[in-house]
Amino acid sequence: DGVNNYYLIGQNLTAAGAKSGDYNFISYYVGIDERHVALSYNPAGNEYLAVFDADVYGDHTASAILGRRVSAGGGLIGGFLVGMYQYNVYNPAIAYDSYNNKYVVTMDYDYGNNGTDWDVIAQRVGPESPVLNVAPSSLSFAGTENAKTISIRNTGTGNLDWGVYPDHAWRTASPKYGATLAETDTVT
């Protein structure tokens, strides 16, 4: 929109390709580029999964794969799927596996984070959709404060694997990785 705000929107279409209804916001971040969108339909759940890579820090140095479930009517289902979060992954592709009732998401993985060591990795994502809930959503430090705590909770279903990736060497997190089914994890 000209102010470093990036929108990922969807539009329902009729079988003939005509627009149907209003645009639906799938994702919106201030200063974070979202690109390379892939979409697959799940006829069993009458829903879509839209996956995309997102510029983690807003400076094109790191990317993660995020996803949103969208009803056939265009409404969002739950929050972001973060099971596909991996540092330095790009260009997602997606297909629905009707036999296992899961989506299969593939992505390019910059293994060495140097643009030369590439792998292709894949992950199954099912109806059991973990949803990341972080509180507080931002931290502010004043004076000599040098530590804060955040809580990470899964408000969806299934197992949520999470990771904290500080964007500067002087920022640390402990623990850096974890998994939660329903409990709340604390990071300092």
Side-chain angles (χ1 to χ4, degrees):
D1 69 1
V3 203
N4 288 336
N5 297 326
Y6 297 89
Y7 305 88
L8 181 59
I9 59 173
Q11 171 71 60
N12 288 349
L13 302 175
T14 66
K19 291 180 182 179
S20 172
D22 293 328
Y23 289 109
N24 298 297
F25 282 94
I26 296 172
S27 179
Y28 167 76
Y29 279 113
V30 175
I32 295 181
D33 193 5
E34 299 158 324
R35 54 192 183 231
H36 305 123
V37 180
L39 184 71
S40 186
Y41 179 65
N42 168 354
N46 197 27
E47 68 179 33
Y48 296 87
L49 180 60
V51 293
F52 50 94
D53 62 42
D55 180 12
V56 176
Y57 304 126
D59 62 3
H60 300 285
T61 61
S63 182
I65 303 299
L66 300 177
R68 292 297 301 262
R69 292 171 53 213
V70 181
S71 73
L76 296 178
I77 301 171
F80 283 98
L81 301 177
V82 295
M84 294 168 282
Y85 190 89
Q86 176 86 26
Y87 196 65
N88 294 329
V89 287
Y90 306 88
N91 306 316
I94 186 170
Y96 178 70
D97 173 5
S98 60
Y99 182 78
N100 292 302
N101 189 31
K102 301 223 182 240
Y103 296 97
V104 178
V105 180
T106 63
M107 60 207 83
D108 297 334
Y109 174 42
D110 185 2
Y111 180 76
N113 190 24
N114 58 17
T116 62
D117 297 323
W118 290 91
D119 288 323
V120 175
I121 59 176
Q123 180 172 348
R124 288 180 191 236
V125 179
E128 69 288 339
S129 300
V131 177
L132 176 66
N133 181 289
V134 178
S137 60
S138 65
L139 299 174
S140 295
F141 292 83
T144 59
E145 280 184 296
N146 62 7
K148 295 269 185 161
T149 299
I150 62 170
S151 296
I152 296 175
R153 198 176 74 158
N154 179 7
T155 57
T157 59
N159 195 50
L160 170 70
D161 296 316
W162 57 265
V164 178
Y165 301 95
D167 58 347
H168 296 288
W170 55 269
R171 293 181 181 162
T172 62
S174 179
K176 289 185 178 184
Y177 307 95
T180 177
L181 187 58
E183 74 278 0
T184 298
D185 295 340
T186 301
V187 178
T188 303

